[in-house]
Amino acid sequence: MRAVVQRVMQASVSVGDELVSSIGRGLCVLIGVSRDDSPKDMEYIVRKILNLRVFDDDQEKRWAHSVKDKNYEILCVSQFTLYCVLKGNKPDFHQSMAAEQSQAFYEEFLQQMRKAYQPDKIKDGRFGAYMQVSIQNDGPVTVQLESPVQQQKSKPEKAKAARQQKWEKKAGAGTTEEPAGTAQEPVDASTAQEPVDAKMEQVTEQLSQTSTT
């Protein structure tokens, strides 16, 4: 998941001439959902949004309080374009989650936000609609968040799979050397010994020829 968090004096979402939601001081958060996101990614983003310290305290100490500390509102807006990949100059969105699946995921995200905070403090746009988002950014302060859970999970698995594939190719070529970081596969003792026996026979034959000359 990706979130673009903006500290605002006020923000609103409209669809056509209809005002859908509006807030006063607080956060306006644009939310992007990738095709690989899981509940762990959701949990991370919810926690970070609610605990991100972007507000001053009563003594005007900067970066001291979260939106929860200040009892402010949050306006969430779904935005699949956060997972844009450029193909030349044309944006491509294949990394974002499919619409039907992402709507369910986004709705669950809102429920988790309301459960972790105050339900009436969480406002929303209209999923899938052509929206007009108006904000008065305070500062300006804008923070980008991205859940690391999926990345941390996928990278080791891909690296392990690549090492395993490389080892299998070597094994097929007659070598039993195992790449670093993979589990040791059981090897038949007699099969593993064959290259060693062949080498010993070769050395013995060479020594025998040397001694006869």
Side-chain angles (χ1 to χ4, degrees):
M1 290 186 74
R2 288 177 179 167
V4 177
V5 183
Q6 300 172 88
R7 187 179 73 183
V8 300
M9 296 298 294
Q10 60 183 14
S12 64
V13 176
S14 299
V15 175
D17 295 329
E18 178 189 357
L19 177 64
V20 177
S21 293
S22 65
I23 63 170
R25 292 199 69 181
L27 300 176
C28 180
V29 185
L30 307 179
I31 296 293
V33 182
S34 85
R35 60 186 182 183
D36 298 321
D37 280 333
S38 71
K40 288 289 185 181
D41 298 277
M42 183 190 301
E43 178 186 341
Y44 176 90
I45 291 295
V46 168
R47 183 174 71 253
K48 285 298 181 182
I49 291 172
L50 294 177
N51 292 284
L52 186 64
R53 296 190 298 177
V54 293
F55 296 97
D56 300 350
D57 65 11
D58 295 336
Q59 287 73 44
E60 298 186 354
K61 180 181 177 182
R62 304 189 70 186
W63 320 115
H65 282 171
S66 68
V67 68
K68 290 177 67 176
D69 296 329
K70 302 296 285 187
N71 203 35
Y72 288 158
E73 295 175 299
I74 303 173
L75 174 60
C76 298
V77 181
S78 61
Q79 189 171 2
F80 71 91
T81 59
L82 290 181
Y83 276 96
C84 166
V85 176
L86 289 180
K87 290 188 174 180
N89 293 320
K90 181 180 179 180
D92 179 88
F93 308 108
H94 72 275
Q95 290 187 357
S96 61
M97 188 177 289
E100 184 175 343
Q101 185 181 0
S102 63
Q103 182 172 7
F105 193 94
Y106 178 71
E107 293 294 339
E108 178 60 24
F109 161 76
L110 292 175
Q111 290 301 318
Q112 293 302 317
M113 289 283 289
R114 294 181 175 115
K115 185 183 298 185
Y117 191 25
Q118 302 175 43
D120 61 328
K121 297 290 185 182
I122 306 299
K123 304 297 179 63
D124 180 29
R126 182 172 295 166
F127 188 92
Y130 188 85
M131 296 175 281
Q132 292 75 49
V133 182
S134 300
I135 67 166
Q136 184 180 349
N137 197 313
D138 179 24
V141 173
T142 302
V143 178
Q144 299 181 66
L145 302 175
E146 182 164 12
S147 58
V149 178
Q150 188 65 34
Q151 296 176 9
Q152 293 173 352
K153 178 181 177 182
S154 62
K155 286 183 178 180
E157 289 181 349
K158 289 179 180 178
K160 183 178 179 181
R163 290 195 299 267
Q164 183 66 24
Q165 186 177 15
K166 183 178 179 181
W167 180 79
E168 289 174 352
K169 287 182 179 179
K170 286 185 176 181
T175 176
T176 57
E177 180 183 357
E178 182 185 8
T182 58
Q184 178 67 47
E185 295 289 337
V187 178
D188 183 81
S190 61
T191 303
Q193 187 65 28
E194 287 177 1
V196 178
D197 291 341
K199 184 66 176 178
M200 289 297 294
E201 289 177 4
Q202 183 180 0
V203 172
T204 301
E205 183 178 353
Q206 290 176 352
L207 289 174
S208 176
Q209 291 175 355
T210 303
S211 62
T212 55
T213 58

